[in-house]
Structures are given as C-alpha cells and as structure tokens.
Amino acid sequence: MVEWDRKNRVLESWKFKVMQDVAIGLNPLTEKLKWGFRLNLRTLLMRGLDEL
C-alpha cells in the first residue's frame, strides 16, 4: 500500500506518513492503526489499487 501510494499520491500526506513509519519499523502496529489502515486500504482500492 505504501509503495503504491508513493507513486499515485491518493492518501493525505499524514496518513501516508503514518503507514510509512509503521512499514519501516519506526512505530509499532497497534489495533487502532490496523483499523485506520483498513480504511486506507478501502480508499486505495476505490482509487485503483488492484493487488497487494
């Protein structure tokens, strides 16, 4: 999701930054973040993300 959004710039910058920080290990993946990432995934799927 991070790589796709880096190229297509669909998410707001702060949402991208939070996902990127978790992906590279700067922040732990909490249940609250999982919930938010599911919302991000739904947005990305509606905007053209085809596969993970």
Side-chain angles (χ1 to χ4, degrees):
M1 288 173 30
V2 172
E3 291 299 321
W4 188 88
D5 193 60
R6 180 175 284 131
K7 296 174 188 171
N8 295 285
R9 298 193 178 260
V10 171
L11 297 175
E12 296 174 55
S13 61
W14 69 270
K15 291 179 182 180
F16 173 80
K17 176 78 168 118
V18 171
M19 284 197 338
Q20 183 180 19
D21 287 350
V22 170
I24 62 176
L26 291 178
N27 292 331
L29 181 59
T30 64
E31 289 300 316
K32 186 175 181 178
L33 287 176
K34 287 180 187 179
W35 177 82
F37 292 173
R38 281 191 288 273
L39 295 178
N40 290 348
L41 176 59
R42 190 177 321 166
T43 300
L44 295 178
L45 288 170
M46 290 189 315
R47 297 289 298 272
L49 176 66
D50 292 330
E51 60 185 61
L52 295 176

